[in-house]
Amino acid sequence: MSLVTILLNIFLPPLAVFLKHGISTTLLISILLTMLVWLPGVIHAFIVNK
């Protein structure tokens, strides 16, 4: 995982997921989790971007 990916996972989780998976249900889940509370979105981004 590159430094850019790690930083995107922390600061813009949906963007990091979009760059890896494109428009998909994974992106929608990431957006939802990030909107509810930021931390679950970050955790989800790290999990799906392994």
Side-chain angles (χ1 to χ4, degrees):
M1 192 178 300
S2 70
L3 180 62
V4 173
T5 304
I6 292 171
L7 291 174
L8 283 175
N9 283 340
I10 294 170
F11 295 112
L12 297 170
L15 180 60
V17 172
F18 172 74
L19 292 175
K20 175 87 177 202
H21 297 281
I23 297 175
S24 65
T25 56
T26 307
L27 176 63
L28 295 175
I29 292 169
S30 179
I31 292 170
L32 180 65
L33 287 172
T34 303
M35 285 175 45
L36 291 174
V37 182
W38 172 75
L39 188 59
V42 172
I43 294 169
H44 179 259
F46 273 107
I47 290 171
V48 299
N49 284 328
K50 277 188 178 179

